[in-house]
Amino acid sequence: MNKVLNHLFPAEEARHIVLNSQRCLNIVAVRNRRYLNGRSRLAQGVPLLTAAVGNVISPEVVKVLYPRVVIGPSQGESPYAKTPEHIELTEENLHQALIASGAIPMVMAPARIQGGKDRWYWDGGVVDYHFSGPFNVSDGLVFYRHFSPRLIPWWFDKGLAWRRIRPEHYHNVVLLTPTSDFIDRLPYGKIPDRKDFETLPDSERERYWRTVLDATNHLVETLDNALQRDAGRSLLKPL
């Protein structure tokens, strides 16, 4: 992973990302607690199981076990209305933050992040599977592009059909997403995902993915037509 990131974001590119005044990058991760700060399967499994069980009662249990951390340019530009733990984004810790943001527990290795606590940092999806706000926008709208009409707040909520986002956190959000009907018409009735590598031979997987890419051209045309017709108002529906 480090080799890939070194190739994609060498020092000069990392500097442009960190110092970009027009687009402020905020990377979300979670970290271990002090006494649960291990990488062994046992050290990972115990808090994960505790979080999964506790989440049925309250998602606050997950937040206690895995505090949310934002690695970004400054605390004042956090995407959250309630500012979580913050680490200043630098050229030196950009790669570390990116690795942490995708480090799925029990699957991928975590990272330590320079400027943060001496802990292991993991995928922020543990507490922000789909970002559920409230967002740090006092005047204006949040443009949220998403792959599914259903928003699942926490990672452990995936199997809890009754767990919903809080509508008051989305009062200023414009969500751009394909419809359920569009997804149902795709091959296998779903958007491609990483499990396709396990269940489909390469030739079938590649054909399936190309079919979906072609189908998304219709989404682009639909949005473009609506924007030209009435600035997209005809597509708007309440969440």
Side-chain angles (χ1 to χ4, degrees), residues 1 41 60 69 80 95 149 152 176 194 205 209 220:
M1 181 62 73
R41 295 188 71 81
E60 294 300 313
V69 180
Y80 294 97
H95 291 184
I152 303 172
L176 180 64
R194 63 178 178 271
R205 177 181 55 78
W209 286 26
V220 175

Side-chain angles (χ1 to χ4, degrees), residues 26 28 36 51 59 124 153 180 186 199 201 232:
N26 287 279
V28 181
L36 299 171
S180 297
L186 296 176
T199 59

